[in-house]
Amino acid sequence: SSKIYNITDTTTEYLAKLDQDVVIHVLADKKSVDSRIVRFLDDYVGLSKHLSVEYVNPTVYPSVLTKYGCDANTVVVTCASTGRQETVAIDSIIGYDEMSYYYYGTKNETDFDAEGLITSAVDGVLTSASRTVYQTSGHGETAIPDSVTALFKKDHMAVESVNLLTDNGIPDSCDLLILNAPTKDLADDELTMIEQYLSAGGQVIYDMAGQVLSLPNFAKLCAAYGMTVTNGMIADTQRYYQNNPYLIFPTLDTSVDAAKNVNSDATILFYASRGMTLGTPARSTITTSALLSTSDGGYNVVDDNDKTQGTYVVGAVATESVDDNKTARFTVYGSDSLISADIMNSFTNIDNTNLFMSSATCGFQDVSNFNINPVSLQEPTNTITTGGIWAILFIFVIPAAVLIFGFVRWMRRRKL
C-alpha cells in the first residue's frame, strides 16, 4: 500500500538505456537485510539485463570490506568498464523520525529511499559529471533544507556556502548560485558580482522572503531581466487552501524548460509570496518567461485599503545566450516556501521540490535530474485546492440539514 516497489518512469527509462554492466554488491548477511530492500533490489535489477545484484556476508568474507574500502551493511555499486564505484549505507534507505526515537525510544519509519539512492549510485559509476552549488550567506538567508541538499547530492551536485563579501566574490567553481529568502539587501559590490557572473553565462536562483521588504538592489537585478517586483503580498481568491488566500496554488506552465521534468498536473503550493509583472529586459538578448502565475482572481495586497486585482507572476525564468556553449539563467520565485521544510513536511504529496530541482538542473546537459523523492511511509493526506466550499458543506450545511431533519421528526412524533 505504501507503493515502495512502484519504480518511477524516470528510473525505468534511465535503466532501459543502460549499455554497460553494473553490479550492486550488498555487503551484509542477506537474512539480516530488511526484506523490503531485498525485494526492491530484485525488482530493480529486473529492469535491465546490464544490472545484477549479489550479497556478500562480510563476517564470512571480511576481505570484501578492504576490497571496497567501506564498512559492513553497505551497498556498493560498481562498473568494470569505468572503474568507478559508489556506496550507499543500508541504514540510510529507510528513514526514521529521530525526534520520536530520542524522546520515546520508538523508531517510527518516515520514508523509503531505495530508488533514489540506488539510481543515483548507478548514474554515479557511469558518469563523471559533478557540479557545485553555492548558497549565499550574510543577508539573513534561510539555509537550504537537508532534504533538498540530499536531492542535489543524488544529482552529483555538492552544496557549499559562500559570503560574497568576505570570500572575495563568487567562486570560480560555482555552477549555480542560490539566494534563498534573503531579508537584507545586496551591497552594490555584490550586485555587480552577480551581474558579471550572469553576463558570463552563470546560473542564479533567487527565492524571495515571504514578507514585504525594501531590497532595492535585488529589485534592480530582477528588473534588468524583465521582472518588476510588486509592492505587496500576493493573494488568490480562486486557487487557495483552507480559506487562506495567501496560501495559494499557482498555475504551472510546463512549456517553460525549467519545468520540463514536472508533470502537467503537478500541484505547487506557495505561502506568503511576493509577485512580479513581466516587462522589457535591459537587453534584447534576454528572454523572460512566466513559470508560475496566479489566476485572474489574484490580488497584490499592500494593506486593507490597497488591493489590486490581476494575474501576477510568482515564478519566472530569464535566459540569455552568451555563446554557443553557455546560456545564463536567472530564476526567481516569489516565495521560499517552494523548498520550505514546514511546507514539505505538512504536504508530502505536492511537487514543490520537483519543480525546484528541475529549474536548478535544466541548464546542465550533463546532469541527470532524477527528481526521485523518498516514498513516504506515513499516512498520506489529501490537498484540496479550494477548501472553502467543502468546509461550508461539512461544517455548516450537513450538520444544519441533520438538525432540521431531527427537529421535523421530533415535531411529528410529538403530535402523535
Side-chain angles (χ1 to χ4, degrees), residues 57-93:
N57 189 342
T59 302
V60 180
Y61 304 100
S63 61
V64 73
L65 301 180
T66 303
K67 178 180 178 180
Y68 294 113
C70 62
D71 297 326
N73 296 316
T74 301
V75 176
V76 180
V77 180
T78 63
C79 177
S81 299
T82 63
R84 288 191 286 268
Q85 76 172 47
E86 294 280 333
T87 60
V88 176
I90 293 178
D91 288 344
S92 67
I93 293 177

Side-chain angles (χ1 to χ4, degrees), residues 44-45 186 255 266 286 345 360 410:
Y44 191 88
V45 297
L186 293 168
S255 66
I286 299 174
N345 292 337
W410 174 78

Side-chain angles (χ1 to χ4, degrees), residues 386-399:
T386 305
I389 296 175
W390 296 105
I392 292 173
L393 178 64
F394 284 99
I395 297 175
F396 298 105
V397 176
I398 293 178

Side-chain angles (χ1 to χ4, degrees), residues 93-123:
I93 293 177
I94 300 177
Y96 296 92
D97 185 343
E98 296 181 359
M99 295 300 293
S100 175
Y101 182 74
Y102 178 79
Y103 284 108
Y104 307 108
T106 58
K107 279 194 171 184
N108 295 325
E109 297 178 348
T110 56
D111 54 63
F112 186 83
D113 199 17
E115 181 183 353
L117 292 172
I118 300 300
T119 300
S120 174
V122 171
D123 183 65

Side-chain angles (χ1 to χ4, degrees), residues 28-43:
D29 182 1
K30 186 175 182 179
K31 296 179 180 179
S32 67
V33 178
D34 192 296
S35 60
R36 292 169 293 182
I37 297 176
V38 174
R39 176 181 166 182
F40 175 85
L41 291 176
D42 288 342
D43 293 345

Side-chain angles (χ1 to χ4, degrees), residues 116-307:
L117 292 172
I118 300 300
T119 300
S120 174
V122 171
D123 183 65
V125 300
L126 296 176
T127 179
S128 59
S130 62
R131 299 285 181 173
T132 304
V133 178
Y134 281 89
Q135 56 178 327
T136 60
S137 62
H139 310 91
E141 294 93 335
T142 300
I144 297 174
D146 291 341
S147 58
V148 177
T149 300
L151 289 176
F152 275 121
K153 184 178 179 181
K154 290 177 183 178
D155 291 337
H156 318 297
M157 302 175 74
V159 179
E160 306 289 346
S161 181
V162 62
N163 185 307
L164 300 184
L165 291 180
T166 62
D167 295 332
N168 299 315
I170 301 173
D172 294 337
S173 60
C174 179
D175 296 298
L176 173 65
L177 184 70
I178 298 178
L179 303 105
N180 189 46
T183 56
K184 299 178 182 177
D185 200 14
L186 293 168
D188 291 343
D189 287 348
E190 293 176 305
L191 174 61
T192 301
M193 293 173 191
I194 295 175
E195 290 175 333
Q196 292 176 346
Y197 174 70
L198 284 168
S199 65
Q203 302 189 41
V204 175
I205 293 180
Y206 168 36
D207 300 326
M208 298 186 199
Q211 51 187 305
V212 177
L213 299 168
S214 177
L215 305 174
N217 278 340
F218 274 109
K220 183 178 178 181
L221 179 64
C222 292
Y225 285 85
M227 311 172 197
T228 301
V229 181
T230 62
N231 58 346
M233 303 301 295
I234 298 301
D236 195 328
T237 57
Q238 295 180 16
R239 295 176 58 83
Y240 58 90
Y241 179 72
Q242 291 289 352
N243 296 319
N244 186 347
Y246 294 98
L247 190 58
I248 66 175
F249 295 92
T251 56
L252 173 66
D253 186 350
T254 54
S255 66
V256 180
D257 63 351
K260 65 182 180 181
N261 293 318
V262 184
N263 294 330
S264 58
D265 59 349
T267 301
I268 308 298
L269 182 62
F270 265 28
Y271 177 66
S273 178
R274 300 295 301 278
M276 297 171 283
T277 56
L278 301 189
T280 304
R283 297 180 293 278
S284 60
T285 52
I286 299 174
T287 301
T288 306
S289 304
L291 179 61
L292 293 169
S293 304
T294 68
S295 69
D296 55 11
Y299 281 85
N300 177 58
V301 182
V302 179
D303 55 44
D304 290 341
N305 299 316
D306 189 352
K307 305 175 184 178

